[in-house]
Amino acid sequence: MATRPGPLTEWPWHWMGSFKYLVLAPAALHTVHRVVTKGWEDMDLAYAGMLPLLLLRMVHNQIWISLSRYHTARRKHIIVDRGLEFEQVDRERNWDDQVILLGLASYLTYAATPSVRLMPMWDTKGAIITVLLHIGPVEFVYYWFHRALHHHFLYSRYHSHHHTSIVTEPITSVIHPFAEILAYFLIFTIPTVIPILMGCGSILVSGLYFVYIDFMNNMGHCNFELLPKWIFKVFPPLKYLMYTPSYHSLHHTQFRTNYSLFMPFYDYIYNTMDNSTDELYERTVKGTEETPDVVHLTHMTTLQSTYHLRIGIASVASKPSDNPVWYMWMIWPIAWLSMVFAWVYGSSAFVIESLKLNKLKMQTWAIPRYNFQYGLIWERESINGLIEKAILDADRRGIRVLSLGLLNQAEQLNGSGELFIQKYPKLGVRLVDGSGLATAVVLNSIPSDTKRVFFCGGSSKVAHATATALCERGVQVIMKQVKEYDMLKLRVPESSTAYLRFSSDEIPQIWIGDNIDDKQQLRAPKGATFITTSQFPPNKIRKDCTYLSSPAMKIPDSMENVHACENWLPRRVMSAWRIAGMIHALEGWDMHECGDGMMDIEKVWSAAIKHGFVPLSKA
């Protein structure tokens, strides 16, 4: 919102929320009625092309969003080295409003201008006029209108909303108050409406012009440089005809320079070109390969997790993955195709996120495999190969710590990373499975006055370590699985075995375990508390019981560039396994935490608290 919102700040359909697309319903119903009553043969090209153009703009924008976020996560050609936060993601959530506006304008123009229905697919004369009108009137009018928007009266009421985003994303380009977007829309209609009135308009030219507008807008607001130097060497005048992301980025950091739309020549003419433009471009296009201190190695979970990645759909990634989104069912084929593509061509982990905690630099890498693939026996060797490749890459680059997330540390897969330690005994990067901190989080989430817990079972290090620690603390651990009981009895110190009890009759209120399935939950007493020791949360089928989060902590406020949720966890909450890698690096610990080895529970818990991580019970 602008600092002093003026008239027509809100979009007319803002009150409709997620149902805003219903404003296009009359046009859609009209199309259906027309097809039903007159058939497809009555459908002219101009009318038939409206919906495909809107869908093209949506897909085009999403491609730019994913491309930009991927490259800014890699950080090699990043322009503004500052964090992007949830507040900006929420503010820019309505980037599709301008697509709806174009849809309404297109249908109204079609209804009000009969000549539109006779437009051919292409008209060369109209294409030339469109180009000239953009170079002349559009660029000129926009330049001076943009300068007017930076006058304190208009800036405080409208344009300051756009400039709230110092670190720009492609969709930042269309984040403006409604009145400002209307003004831009009127400017951009000059090259499309005038050719139509002159009788030389065409469907393809009109569509391509808006694709050009979107392309240049998205490119200019990327926070990474992608235009190579050779383009400007081959055709030097291009620097006056096409801006670069670094050129427009300076407008968002300096505010009083680089006002031009897409063609910088007006900034040269009126002496508003930022003096550091060329230097910034040279520096960012050259790039710097950044080596993080810590890498968290995760993987895809469900098909829908494709959208939930930071490089996926921004508004989806900013919420926990178990929050349903109404339009997911419409785009599941894309998720399915991405899964097939990743399975066939995914030969290495890829960067999905880059964070910073004070001086500690962190990245998240994802293995291009999904949950169900980890359960396929014939896939284990391939998946271990991908994990091994990521570990060796981290070691080659001098990364200090690599934490294994989700199923990348599964016992049946690689023994919590022990496989790689044995294979590469001189490995420089420290491998961390995070079991020590995860166990500490579980133990500290159990009420201090608890005398008995029901252990649902589990073969993980965290489950066994939790049960063992409870027995050592004098908390009675009740079990009903014979095999699990016999296995755990061998781990518990002899002095504490009296607190490990096999019973099928006693059912306490506190339930812990790796996989608390639906059948077990149904046997729990009313008011029971379920505490999982797994990275995956149980299904919440009981409304009369309490479900604690999978082991996780709230991150420090000083952690930067956090604008996506970690799977099903809330905002600014991370799994203990991921945090453990950070703690390992912050403390400078030089040992691995893999296989049967585990960090001292109290030691790692104290270190996490010292560095500002907060238990969820106190968040």
Side-chain angles (χ1 to χ4, degrees):
M1 189 68 69
T3 53
R4 298 171 59 190
L8 294 180
T9 290
E10 294 284 5
W11 289 73
W13 45 80
H14 173 76
W15 61 275
M16 298 177 68
S18 299
F19 297 98
K20 61 187 178 184
Y21 280 90
L22 289 178
V23 300
L24 294 174
L29 292 173
H30 178 266
T31 301
V32 173
H33 178 265
R34 184 171 173 176
V35 172
V36 171
T37 57
K38 298 182 180 180
W40 288 102
E41 61 275 5
D42 183 63
M43 193 73 66
D44 55 80
L45 292 174
Y47 195 89
M50 291 181 190
L51 180 59
L53 176 61
L54 298 184
L55 293 177
L56 175 63
R57 295 191 74 197
M58 298 286 285
V59 173
H60 185 191
N61 287 333
Q62 181 56 51
I63 290 173
W64 273 106
I65 293 168
S66 298
L67 180 68
S68 177
R69 288 191 159 202
Y70 171 70
H71 279 282
T72 52
R74 290 186 62 204
R75 301 183 66 79
K76 184 175 182 180
H77 299 285
I78 195 169
I79 301 171
V80 179
D81 188 11
R82 291 178 59 176
L84 181 67
E85 307 299 332
F86 283 110
E87 185 274 332
Q88 180 171 338
V89 175
D90 291 339
R91 188 176 64 253
E92 297 181 347
R93 196 179 300 275
N94 69 324
W95 64 269
D96 52 345
D97 280 339
Q98 43 88 31
V99 177
I100 297 175
L101 179 63
L102 177 63
L104 289 175
S106 298
Y107 280 107
L108 290 175
T109 302
Y110 181 89
T113 313
S115 59
V116 170
R117 306 170 193 183
L118 304 176
M119 282 200 309
M121 182 60 71
W122 177 263
D123 188 293
T124 302
K125 178 183 176 182
I128 295 172
I129 292 174
T130 297
V131 171
L132 294 176
L133 287 172
H134 177 83
I135 294 174
V138 170
E139 289 283 344
F140 179 79
V141 172
Y142 178 90
Y143 174 85
W144 285 107
F145 177 61
H146 194 182
R147 288 192 66 170
L149 285 172
H150 277 260
H151 184 276
H152 64 85
F153 181 85
L154 292 178
Y155 186 83
S156 62
R157 287 162 175 78
Y158 298 104
H159 202 52
S160 58
H161 179 68
H162 177 70
H163 274 278
T164 304
S165 301
I166 304 298
V167 180
T168 59
E169 290 208 284
I171 52 176
T172 305
S173 61
V174 293
I175 302 303
H176 302 279
F178 178 61
E180 192 174 334
I181 281 285
L182 276 181
Y184 294 143
F185 193 79
L186 291 174
I187 294 173
F188 293 147
T189 55
I190 294 173
T192 54
V193 173
I194 290 180
I196 293 174
L197 297 177
M198 294 175 63
C200 55
S202 63
I203 297 168
L204 197 54
V205 170
S206 296
L208 288 176
Y209 181 68
F210 279 101
V211 170
Y212 165 75
I213 295 294
D214 285 343
F215 181 90
M216 296 300 290
N217 255 333
N218 286 324
M219 182 192 72
H221 287 80
C222 284
N223 192 30
F224 74 100
E225 191 56 74
L226 73 164
L227 291 173
K229 292 175 64 175
W230 65 263
I231 294 181
F232 299 100
K233 289 183 178 179
V234 171
F235 186 60
L238 190 62
K239 70 178 295 185
Y240 303 105
L241 301 176
M242 183 173 69
Y243 71 172
T244 65
S246 52
Y247 167 95
H248 190 71
S249 178
L250 283 169
H251 177 70
H252 277 261
T253 55
Q254 303 304 318
F255 300 105
R256 296 293 182 181
T257 57
N258 295 8
Y259 290 104
S260 291
L261 179 55
F262 308 139
M263 300 178 173
F265 57 81
Y266 282 112
D267 278 309
Y268 284 97
I269 292 173
Y270 296 109
N271 198 30
T272 53
M273 172 65 69
D274 195 289
N275 293 329
S276 62
T277 298
D278 292 338
E279 186 273 332
L280 178 62
Y281 170 77
E282 292 282 345
R283 186 174 71 250
T284 53
V285 77
K286 180 180 179 181
T288 303
E289 196 71 48
E290 183 177 277
T291 299
D293 301 298
V294 182
V295 163
H296 181 64
L297 189 63
T298 184
H299 60 79
M300 316 287 276
T301 52
T302 63
L303 284 182
Q304 287 76 18
S305 66
T306 304
Y307 311 125
H308 191 263
L309 291 176
R310 180 186 179 277
I311 58 176
I313 300 177
S315 58
V316 174
S318 67
K319 298 179 180 178
S321 60
D322 53 3
N323 281 17
V325 181
W326 66 269
Y327 53 80
M328 282 301 194
W329 66 271
M330 298 171 59
I331 50 180
W332 73 264
I334 300 176
W336 187 86
L337 288 173
S338 69
M339 182 271 293
V340 174
F341 182 83
W343 200 341
V344 175
Y345 297 104
S347 59
S348 61
F350 57 97
V351 182
I352 59 173
E353 192 172 40
S354 182
L355 309 174
K356 185 182 290 186
L357 177 59
N358 301 323
K359 294 183 178 181
L360 190 73
K361 294 175 290 187
M362 300 160 284
Q363 285 185 353
T364 302
W365 298 356
I367 297 292
R369 294 295 185 269
Y370 293 78
N371 273 4
F372 78 92
Q373 291 168 297
Y374 280 75
L376 303 175
I377 296 177
W378 62 85
E379 275 287 303
R380 288 182 182 176
E381 184 177 350
S382 172
I383 291 174
N384 268 333
L386 290 170
I387 299 172
E388 181 179 335
K389 185 177 180 180
I391 292 172
L392 293 179
D393 183 37
D395 189 54
R396 177 185 58 81
R397 293 177 56 185
I399 294 169
R400 293 157 53 192
V401 177
L402 185 144
S403 55
L404 297 167
L406 298 176
L407 297 176
N408 287 329
Q409 56 162 275
E411 179 67 32
Q412 65 272 22
L413 188 66
N414 52 51
S416 298
E418 182 69 19
L419 173 69
F420 310 113
I421 300 300
Q422 293 179 354
K423 190 172 182 179
Y424 302 100
K426 295 184 179 181
L427 201 64
V429 62
R430 304 291 92 179
L431 299 188
V432 174
D433 66 10
S435 52
L437 182 59
T439 301
V441 171
V442 173
L443 290 172
N444 282 277
S445 64
I446 298 173
S448 58
D449 59 348
T450 299
K451 302 299 182 183
R452 301 186 307 161
V453 301
F454 181 70
F455 186 63
C456 303
S459 58
S460 72
K461 287 172 62 177
V462 176
H464 287 168
T466 300
T468 300
L470 287 171
C471 289
E472 291 176 343
R473 294 180 180 185
V475 177
Q476 193 171 67
V477 178
I478 300 172
M479 304 179 64
K480 63 181 301 182
Q481 299 98 338
V482 177
K483 184 178 179 180
E484 290 286 344
Y485 173 78
D486 292 337
M487 183 185 301
L488 193 57
K489 195 171 183 179
L490 297 174
R491 293 174 174 264
V492 176
E494 188 175 348
S495 59
S496 303
T497 53
Y499 292 99
L500 186 64
R501 181 171 180 176
F502 177 81
S503 174
S504 57
D505 299 325
E506 297 182 62
I507 306 180
Q509 291 291 104
I510 305 295
W511 289 45
I512 63 173
D514 280 347
N515 181 23
I516 309 175
D517 60 35
D518 296 356
K519 290 184 179 180
Q520 290 175 319
Q521 291 182 41
L522 291 173
R523 292 196 295 267
K526 184 178 180 180
T529 299
F530 299 114
I531 305 175
T532 181
T533 53
S534 167
Q535 298 196 45
F536 296 90
N539 294 326
K540 299 179 180 180
I541 65 170
R542 293 282 299 271
K543 295 185 179 300
D544 59 345
C545 294
T546 301
Y547 294 83
L548 298 192
S549 166
S550 52
M553 301 181 77
K554 185 178 183 297
I555 61 176
D557 294 336
S558 56
M559 189 175 292
E560 301 174 25
N561 207 32
V562 182
H563 53 272
C565 291
E566 182 183 338
N567 297 314
W568 37 81
L569 295 173
R571 289 181 170 185
R572 298 193 69 82
V573 171
M574 289 185 180
S575 66
W577 292 267
R578 187 178 182 185
I579 294 171
M582 303 177 193
I583 301 300
H584 219 79
L586 287 167
E587 289 293 309
W589 293 332
D590 194 40
M591 71 291 292
H592 297 288
E593 186 182 34
C594 291
D596 294 330
M598 180 183 289
M599 293 295 302
D600 180 85
I601 295 172
E602 293 300 329
K603 180 180 179 180
V604 72
W605 176 256
S606 298
I609 299 300
K610 180 181 72 174
H611 289 291
F613 293 91
V614 180
L616 295 185
S617 59
K618 297 180 180 179

